[in-house]
């Protein structure tokens, strides 16, 4: 089974702190994603990466950056956390090879619930 | 830009009965994929079912089936013989052919009453 793990289930930070959210997948997937999930808004894509050191902005990248130094690990960075970044953050990965055939399924981690005070 | 709309924030159903969750989407593309994901309480999101837009036949996975109406841009999920373990948030999602990005709806919280 594909396993996507996130470093913390719950995290509480102060406004202005630098925050790192870590995600690791163990299936040699090409693609990794960071979403935030808010009630009534569903999941919104922050950033995704299709290869090591490669990244693309999603729909809501402002206030976030990412890092992918190794294939299995994708980090989300909040340079200066703000209260409006209080949310559930979900990481996902997908193989990438089945994209054109539509068989490319995204596998999700358990999520990190971040509270910024 | 593509959008996905789930107009039912919450639904409830009696155990063993059938429930249908609604999803509509907006796109100008002709080739795309549609998905239903399930997020149980405090558990990871998992894929329930997938539909390719070029296929006329509706996808089915055991008790889960979809009603895909391409012209109407509608993609509803039917759960038959509802079980307590079906209680979850359900998200409808869209992906354009050849793209990586998933576009999600707002989600529907399904409650199963024993």
């Amino acid at each position: 089974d594909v396993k996507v793990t996130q470093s913390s289930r719950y995290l509480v930070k102060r406004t202005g702190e630098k925050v790192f959210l870590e995600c690791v997948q163990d299936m040699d997937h090409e693609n990794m994603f960071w979403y935030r999930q808010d009630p009534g808004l569903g999941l919104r894509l922050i950033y995704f990466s299709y290869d090591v050191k490669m990244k693309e902005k999603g729909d809501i990248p402002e206030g976030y950056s990412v890092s992918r130094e190794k294939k299995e690990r994708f980090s989300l960075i909040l340079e200066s956390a703000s209260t409006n970044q209080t949310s559930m953050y979900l990481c996902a990965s997908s193989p990438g090879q089945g994209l054109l055939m539509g068989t490319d399924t995204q596998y999700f981690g358990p999520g990190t619930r971040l509270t910024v005070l | 830009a593509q959008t996905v709309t789930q107009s039912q924030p919450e639904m409830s159903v009696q155990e063993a009965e059938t429930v249908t969750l609604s999803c509509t989407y907006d796109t100008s593309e002709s080739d795309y994929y549609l998905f239903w994901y399930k997020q149980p309480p405090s558990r990871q999101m998992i894929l329930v079912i997938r539909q390719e837009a070029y296929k006329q036949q509706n996808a089915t996975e055991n008790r889960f089936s979809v009603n895909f109406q391409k012209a109407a841009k509608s993609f509803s999920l039917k759960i038959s013989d509802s079980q307590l373990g079906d209680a979850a948030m359900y998200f409808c999602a869209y992906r354009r052919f050849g793209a990586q990005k998933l576009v999600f709806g707002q989600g529907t919280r399904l409650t199963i009453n024993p």
Side-chain angles (χ1 to χ4, degrees):
Chain A
D1 280 350
V2 175
K3 195 166 183 182
V4 180
T5 57
Q6 295 183 227
S7 51
S8 306
R9 290 300 302 270
Y10 300 93
L11 206 54
V12 179
K13 295 292 182 181
R14 298 259 177 218
T15 302
E17 280 192 76
K18 190 169 185 176
V19 182
F20 292 87
L21 303 183
E22 304 285 336
C23 175
V24 177
Q25 49 93 3
D26 66 355
M27 283 301 292
D28 200 36
H29 283 178
E30 301 289 331
N31 306 314
M32 297 188 75
F33 306 81
W34 275 107
Y35 296 89
R36 66 176 280 175
Q37 180 181 355
D38 299 290
L41 297 178
L43 279 73
R44 293 177 291 165
L45 182 65
I46 304 171
Y47 269 97
F48 72 96
S49 168
Y50 50 90
D51 200 353
V52 175
K53 297 189 186 293
M54 307 301 288
K55 61 186 179 185
E56 281 199 26
K57 293 181 180 179
D59 297 318
I60 51 166
E62 298 79 17
Y64 304 95
S65 62
V66 290
S67 172
R68 194 169 180 199
E69 297 295 322
K70 293 185 178 181
K71 192 174 186 179
E72 67 271 17
R73 188 179 297 270
F74 191 35
S75 302
L76 180 69
I77 304 156
L78 288 66
E79 293 288 342
S80 178
S82 63
T83 55
N84 62 12
Q85 293 178 309
T86 292
S87 186
M88 170 72 85
Y89 290 88
L90 296 177
C91 175
S93 71
S94 70
Q97 292 87 353
L99 186 63
L100 294 180
M101 294 180 288
T103 56
D104 205 52
T105 296
Q106 289 189 22
Y107 297 87
F108 285 82
T112 296
R113 186 168 296 281
L114 173 67
T115 301
V116 183
L117 301 175
Chain B
Q2 295 88 7
T3 58
V4 177
T5 302
Q6 294 176 249
S7 58
Q8 307 154 314
E10 295 183 353
M11 293 279 286
S12 64
V13 64
Q14 291 297 124
E15 194 176 2
E17 293 189 349
T18 295
V19 63
T20 299
L21 308 185
S22 300
C23 173
T24 59
Y25 58 94
D26 187 25
T27 183
S28 59
E29 304 286 337
S30 57
D31 291 333
Y32 50 87
Y33 307 95
L34 296 164
F35 307 84
W36 278 98
Y37 278 87
K38 170 186 178 181
Q39 186 181 42
S42 301
R43 293 176 60 190
Q44 288 168 247
M45 184 149 9
I46 58 172
L47 178 66
V48 175
I49 200 165
R50 169 180 44 226
Q51 174 79 42
E52 293 88 344
Y54 64 85
K55 288 187 177 179
Q56 293 187 340
Q57 187 172 5
N58 290 323
T60 61
E61 288 288 342
N62 301 313
R63 297 182 296 106
F64 297 87
S65 61
V66 298
N67 183 6
F68 173 49
Q69 302 287 331
K70 190 172 185 180
K73 297 180 181 175
S74 171
F75 183 60
S76 60
L77 175 70
K78 185 172 84 171
I79 306 173
S80 304
D81 185 26
S82 298
Q83 300 175 1
L84 295 178
D86 295 334
M89 281 290 287
Y90 286 82
F91 290 96
C92 178
Y94 163 100
R95 190 176 79 219
R96 178 175 56 85
F97 178 81
Q100 299 284 359
K101 175 183 164 181
L102 279 173
V103 178
F104 284 87
Q106 301 90 334
T108 297
R109 183 175 302 280
L110 177 64
T111 302
I112 311 296
N113 300 312

